[in-house]
């Protein structure tokens, strides 16, 4: 029987039962959903091929999970089913074809498409308009009584306007911003962070003390109704809304396979901008008569399917860990991974942030890890699958020397970061510093991209940003793929950068933690480079946006002889700015704070930010009572909702453009 399909089926059952227990009962899964889905499908296919060997108690025959011992059991009046999955358009096509065959008609079918929330399914039973009992799905037949914990979720009505008796099903989830706040607090308090919003929601719902659940700020969306009469699922959603249950506004009626696929593409685009995590779409036949005709199979309705998005989390192996040197000398550990497709993109590197993070997650070279890629952010390692750790997994040691220049690498007091002390003698720092200096939002040297900077530093043509202004045509034409015309253009761009603003120049210098806003405040408040060079920490602390760490960084930067020499050489090479335009007090938008959210169509965010700031406004990244206006583009995020909640005036892009015109 060795390596027989039967043995593999037994093995898969054991593994899946373990993963189910971790997911449903412990709310602490050790592997990503993608790994579970893969093994589940492997088992399902083997059972289809060898039906005589299929175990009637196989995880494929159950919804998964079981009631936890701490909560009393609840038997569902109607089983809470799971959903079959589709992973590509062909599987959706097959699903629709199956429905048409069963219905004996090839007419297009009307579906309701709903985002599939990554949370926990719950049942809410109301009697005479009052919430009587809330339960988890459990194994589909028997769940856990979580009434006390659901009563503290603000979105769940405790009583309804009408004295009706009915059951509502839906998903308890945690919004992305709530999740981020919870993990920030956990990190601050030295507690274990949650791997993702779903785990956080599950962990919060399973609390024995509902006061803890209340503080976690869970949310709810309703998607199913049992009791009242209705002829379509759309009607059911309408009734739910009238009864004041939150229903996801992204739900939409779609027709046929093409309607399903169009909705998929649209929602995939929106996915990162939604306030909540979704892992796919649920398509449901809209007509209740057709749903009844189609019926159920063992664990799922025939009339619905979940079309899963490419998984945002995958399993892979850490092949090595290298330390990258940033502009300010900070060494960032980066895991080199066995390449793996995550969310539709190949991932071969993941940031490990710093040594504290490595220790907290206990990542070792050789480990099997869950890697996560959300939106455009750099992929990160969520956790290590300890059960898969090889015996020879290697502990990651903090380097004592910079991997690029060999200078000492020291742990910054009070910080998790390790820093190379090489500063301007470290080619990695010089390269990053030059790239930063040349960036569009700094000195804006067109054509001085990363590849050229790498060559200039490697060939020792430049050792600091000041050397840029001594470059000659003969130097540049020696570089790879650099023709005479491109070299001339680059020299012109370098020359043109000499006319700038004090704020841009200060930002371009790359003082640790001095971003554009701080550079602008410095320029506005002190107005003059000599003043900034001779200022004290106390004086700096009186400036808007500047706290003790940044004040100290600025002061220390201006004390270093090598930095002063570079500034001196830059100024001597002709860099200058208009000293009369530094005060913003008289500008039309002085004192006003703007926040931008969503995708702008006509101007880039950078342009809008520049224009607003040039008119004296402050552009902030978060909405608060102090915000004067929120500019909203397409698919805005939670900042839009927050602005509405706080009653802050909203501007669309056209209104913003008008405002910018008036300001000029
Ligand atoms: N949005 C949504 N999620 N979800 C999950 N609808 C929905 N419906 C479900 C499940 C398990 O089940 C019904 C189709 C029975």
């Amino acid at each position: 029987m060795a390596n027989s399909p039967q043995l593999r089926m037994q093995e898969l059952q054991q593994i899946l039962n373990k993963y189910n227990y971790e997911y449903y009962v412990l709310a602490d899964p050790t592997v990503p959903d993608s790994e579970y889905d893969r093994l589940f499908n492997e088992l399902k296919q083997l059972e289809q091929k060898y039906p005589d060997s299929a175990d009637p108690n196989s995880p494929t025959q159950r919804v998964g999970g079981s009631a936890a011992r701490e909560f009393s059991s609840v038997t569902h009046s109607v089983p809470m089913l799971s959903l079959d999955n589709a992973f590509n358009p062909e599987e959706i096509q097959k699903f629709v074809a199956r429905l048409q065959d069963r219905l004996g008609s090839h007419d297009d079918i009307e579906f309701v498409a709903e985002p599939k929330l990554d949370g926990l399914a719950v049942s809410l039973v109301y009697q005479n308009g009052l919430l009587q009992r809330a339960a988890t799905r459990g194994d589909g037949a028997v769940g856990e009584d979580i009434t006390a914990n659901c009563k503290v979720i603000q979105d769940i009505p405790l009583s309804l306007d009408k004295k009706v008796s009915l059951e509502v099903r839906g998903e308890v989830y945690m919004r992305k911003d709530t999740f981020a706040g919870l993990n920030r607090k956990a990190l601050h308090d030295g507690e274990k962070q949650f791997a993702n919003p779903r785990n956080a929601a599950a962990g919060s719902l399973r609390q024995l003390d509902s006061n803890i659940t209340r503080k976690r700020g869970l949310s709810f969306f309703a998607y199913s109704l049992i009791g009242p009469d209705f002829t379509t699922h759309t009607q059911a959603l309408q009734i739910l809304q009238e009864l004041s249950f939150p229903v996801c506004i992204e739900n939409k009626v779609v027709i046929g396979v093409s309607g399903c696929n169009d909705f998929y593409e649209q929602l995939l685009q929106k996915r990162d901008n939604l306030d909540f995590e979704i892992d796919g779409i649920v398509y449901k036949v809209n007509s209740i008569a057709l749903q009844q005709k189609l019926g159920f199979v063992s664990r799922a309705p025939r009339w619905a399917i979940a079309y899963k998005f490419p998984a945002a989390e995958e399993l892979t192996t850490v092949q090595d860990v290298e330390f990258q040197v940033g502009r300010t000398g900070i060494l960032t550990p980066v895991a080199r991974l066995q390449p793996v497709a995550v969310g539709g993109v190949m991932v071969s590197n993941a940031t490990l942030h710093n040594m504290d993070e490595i220790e907290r997650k206990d990542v070792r070279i050789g480990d099997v890890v869950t890697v996560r890629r959300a939106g455009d952010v750099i992929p990160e390692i969520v956790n290590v699958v300890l059960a898969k750790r090889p015996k020879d997994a290697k502990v990651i040691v903090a380097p004592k020397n910079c991997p690029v220049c060999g200078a000492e690498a020291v742990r910054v007091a009070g910080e998790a970061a390790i820093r190379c002390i090489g500063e301007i003698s470290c080619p990695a720092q010089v390269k990053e510093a030059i790239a930063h200096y040349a960036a569009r939002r700094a000195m804006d040297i067109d054509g001085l991209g990363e590849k050229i900077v790498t060559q200039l530093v490697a060939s020792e043509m430049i050792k600091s940003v000041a050397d840029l202004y001594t470059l000659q045509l003969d130097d540049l034409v020696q570089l790879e793929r650099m023709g005479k015309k491109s070299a001339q253009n680059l020299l012109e761009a370098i020359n043109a950068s000499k006319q700038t603003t004090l704020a841009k120049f200060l930002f371009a210098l790359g003082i640790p933690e001095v971003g554009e806003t701080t550079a602008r405040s410095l320029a506005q408040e002190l107005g003059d480079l000599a003043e900034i060079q001779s200022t004290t920490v106390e004086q700096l602390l009186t400036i808007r946006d500047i706290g003790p760490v940044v004040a100290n960084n600025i002061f220390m930067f201006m004390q270093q002889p090598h930095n002063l020499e570079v500034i001196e050489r830059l100024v001597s090479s002709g860099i200058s700015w208009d000293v009369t335009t530094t005060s913003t007090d008289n500008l039309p938008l002085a004192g006003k704070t703007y926040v931008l959210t969503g995708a702008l169509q006509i101007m880039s965010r950078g342009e809008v930010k520049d224009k607003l700031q040039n008119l004296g406004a402050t552009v902030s990244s978060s909405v608060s009572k102090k915000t004067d206006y929120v500019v909203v583009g397409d698919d805005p995020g939670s900042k839009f909702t927050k602005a509405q909640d706080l009653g802050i005036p909203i501007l669309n892009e056209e209104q913003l453009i008008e405002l910018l015109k008036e300001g000029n």
Side-chain angles (χ1 to χ4, degrees):
M1 251 283 272
N3 292 330
S4 72
Q6 284 70 22
L7 210 60
R8 177 65 180 155
M9 282 156 81
Q10 276 175 21
E11 186 184 39
L12 286 167
Q13 279 202 44
Q14 270 173 11
I15 302 172
L16 288 167
N17 281 335
K18 174 174 173 279
Y19 290 166
N20 264 330
Y21 175 74
E22 289 170 356
Y23 185 96
Y24 287 106
V25 180
L26 304 182
D28 190 15
T30 57
V31 293
D33 292 354
S34 54
E35 175 74 356
Y36 179 89
D37 288 345
R38 219 175 354 253
L39 299 176
F40 188 94
N41 281 338
E42 187 188 340
L43 180 57
K44 213 163 106 177
Q45 272 167 21
L46 283 171
E47 287 172 349
Q48 270 162 12
K49 207 164 159 193
Y50 305 99
D52 292 345
S53 308
D55 180 348
N57 287 327
S58 156
T60 60
Q61 304 304 307
R62 311 183 337 134
V63 173
S66 60
R69 254 170 272 123
E70 294 90 338
F71 298 94
S72 55
S73 297
V74 169
T75 303
H76 298 298
S77 59
V78 178
M80 285 186 81
L81 297 168
S82 184
L83 291 165
D84 264 343
N85 291 327
F87 294 95
N88 53 52
E90 291 74 45
E91 288 176 4
I92 291 294
Q93 204 162 7
K94 280 191 195 153
F95 162 70
V96 176
R98 267 199 312 272
L99 297 185
Q100 287 174 325
D101 282 351
R102 276 203 168 257
L103 296 171
S105 153
H106 284 84
D107 290 350
D108 269 337
I109 300 174
E110 188 174 277
F111 294 97
V112 176
E114 301 177 0
K116 186 171 177 300
L117 275 97
D118 213 0
L120 276 98
V122 296
S123 137
L124 306 171
V125 174
Y126 290 80
Q127 266 162 16
N128 295 322
L130 294 179
L131 176 62
Q132 288 297 319
R133 204 200 59 206
T136 63
R137 181 165 63 188
D139 66 4
V142 179
E144 304 137 35
D145 188 328
I146 47 161
T147 313
N149 289 349
C150 281
K151 281 188 170 170
V152 299
I153 298 174
Q154 296 292 334
D155 286 352
I156 296 181
L158 299 180
S159 62
L160 309 176
D161 286 348
K162 292 182 192 153
K163 291 197 169 187
V164 280
S165 295
L166 45 79
E167 182 175 345
V168 173
R169 290 177 178 177
E171 201 87 355
V172 167
Y173 66 97
M174 187 175 280
R175 287 166 54 112
K176 288 177 190 167
D177 53 359
T178 311
F179 169 71
L182 185 66
N183 264 358
R184 263 199 306 274
K185 187 170 178 305
L187 184 64
H188 178 265
D189 298 346
E191 286 167 10
K192 191 178 168 204
Q193 290 180 289
F194 287 103
N196 54 45
R198 201 212 87 90
N199 288 357
S204 305
L205 209 50
R206 284 238 166 67
Q207 292 294 327
L208 293 174
D209 175 359
S210 51
N211 279 315
I212 300 180
T213 312
R214 175 186 288 115
K215 288 187 195 140
R216 297 281 173 87
L218 294 172
S219 305
F220 176 74
F221 271 136
Y223 56 64
S224 162
L225 177 62
I226 302 170
D229 276 342
F230 43 82
T231 56
T232 62
H233 181 60
T234 315
Q235 268 179 22
L237 295 178
Q238 255 160 17
I239 299 172
L240 283 168
Q241 247 170 336
E242 282 158 20
L243 289 168
S244 70
F245 286 93
V247 172
C248 182
I249 56 161
E250 304 295 336
N251 296 351
K252 197 178 161 195
V253 172
V254 298
I255 313 284
V257 177
S258 62
C260 291
N261 289 337
D262 289 350
F263 185 84
Y264 176 90
E265 291 303 330
Q266 286 158 16
L267 200 64
L268 191 57
Q269 294 297 318
K270 274 190 177 178
R271 183 185 189 182
D272 294 334
N273 288 325
L274 294 175
D275 291 339
F276 40 84
E277 293 252 355
I278 58 173
D279 60 357
I281 297 169
V282 184
Y283 297 114
K284 298 174 181 174
V285 171
N286 199 7
S287 155
I288 303 298
L290 292 188
Q291 284 187 8
Q292 282 165 352
K293 228 171 159 178
L294 289 161
F296 301 84
V297 281
S298 59
R299 62 188 282 278
R302 282 205 189 87
W303 43 265
I305 198 158
Y307 188 177
K308 291 286 206 77
F309 284 143
E313 289 181 2
E314 274 295 351
L315 279 190
T316 190
T317 311
V318 177
Q319 294 180 320
D320 199 2
V321 170
E322 287 173 12
F323 285 79
Q324 265 176 6
V325 190
R327 172 167 61 85
T328 55
I330 293 197
L331 305 191
T332 305
V334 177
R336 305 291 179 212
L337 305 170
Q338 169 79 36
V340 61
V342 189
V345 170
M346 284 311 277
V347 169
S348 43
N349 301 309
T351 178
L352 280 164
H353 301 289
N354 51 49
M355 285 308 291
D356 278 4
E357 178 95 349
I358 292 178
E359 280 156 27
R360 196 170 46 246
K361 290 186 175 160
D362 188 18
V363 180
R364 302 187 190 177
I365 297 167
D367 268 341
V368 173
V369 293
T370 302
V371 61
R372 178 178 174 77
R373 191 187 141 265
D376 290 334
V377 297
I378 305 167
E380 61 174 358
I381 288 174
V382 179
N383 59 10
V384 173
V385 185
L386 287 174
K388 291 181 189 264
R389 170 167 283 169
K391 282 200 182 69
D392 58 352
K394 227 170 92 192
V395 173
I396 299 157
V397 192
K400 296 212 163 16
N401 297 90
C402 170
V404 176
C405 73
E408 200 185 341
V410 294
R411 193 141 184 168
V412 183
E415 285 180 35
I418 301 173
R419 200 185 289 259
C420 156
I421 61 162
E423 294 201 332
I424 55 167
S425 67
C426 173
Q429 287 184 60
V430 173
K431 199 181 95 182
E432 294 297 328
I434 294 168
H436 172 78
Y437 181 87
R440 201 185 64 74
R441 306 189 66 79
M443 300 299 274
D444 193 14
I445 306 179
D446 203 17
L448 190 58
E450 201 191 313
K451 285 204 177 111
I452 296 179
V453 174
T454 307
Q455 288 187 64
L456 287 170
V457 175
S459 62
E460 299 193 356
M461 278 187 210
I462 54 176
K463 293 203 171 81
S464 85
V465 291
D467 295 335
L468 281 173
Y469 297 95
T470 61
L471 283 171
Q472 303 293 319
L473 195 67
D474 291 348
D475 301 327
L476 292 181
V477 287
Q478 290 172 33
L479 301 179
E480 250 173 62
R481 271 181 261 141
M482 175 71 80
K484 199 168 167 194
K485 186 75 198 133
S486 312
Q488 265 162 350
N489 288 345
L490 182 53
L491 280 183
E492 272 167 35
I494 292 174
N495 206 33
S497 74
K498 289 181 183 169
Q499 191 55 46
T500 185
T501 65
L502 178 57
K504 283 188 183 233
F505 179 71
L506 290 171
F507 173 57
L509 288 178
I511 305 167
E513 298 190 55
V514 173
E516 282 179 276
T517 310
T518 309
R520 207 171 261 274
S521 302
L522 264 178
Q524 281 163 9
E525 304 279 335
L526 300 173
D528 176 28
L529 183 60
E531 191 77 15
I532 295 166
Q533 285 177 310
S534 60
T535 186
T536 62
V537 170
E538 288 70 32
Q539 253 178 312
L540 287 165
L541 281 171
T542 64
I543 297 175
R544 185 164 37 114
D545 300 325
I546 295 182
V549 174
V550 178
N552 196 49
N553 286 350
I554 299 168
F555 179 76
M556 291 302 288
F557 187 92
M558 294 302 176
Q559 296 301 303
Q560 304 302 320
H562 55 254
N563 290 336
L564 296 179
E565 188 205 315
V566 170
I567 294 175
E568 168 69 35
R569 284 183 58 206
L570 288 170
V571 174
S572 314
S573 58
I575 287 175
S576 63
W577 46 84
D578 188 350
V579 282
T580 57
T581 57
T582 43
S583 169
T584 58
D585 293 354
N586 300 324
L587 292 174
L589 302 184
K592 297 281 180 228
T593 301
Y594 286 72
V595 172
L596 311 177
T597 178
L600 301 175
Q601 299 303 322
I602 304 166
M603 284 193 283
S604 72
R605 263 175 184 247
E607 271 177 276
V608 170
K609 202 171 164 194
D610 272 349
K611 285 187 194 284
L612 286 170
Q613 287 176 335
N614 287 340
L615 292 171
T618 302
V619 179
S620 167
S621 58
S622 59
V623 177
S624 73
K625 283 187 199 139
K626 291 184 189 156
T627 309
D628 292 291
Y629 292 96
V630 173
V631 178
V632 176
D634 288 351
D635 296 329
S638 55
K639 291 174 199 167
F640 178 38
T641 336
K642 190 157 180 200
Q644 286 176 316
D645 290 348
L646 294 175
I648 293 166
I650 310 281
L651 297 179
N652 62 27
E653 197 170 357
E654 284 75 27
Q655 289 167 318
L656 171 76
I657 290 169
E658 281 311 305
L659 175 111
L660 294 175
K661 274 189 207 152
E662 281 166 31
N664 279 326

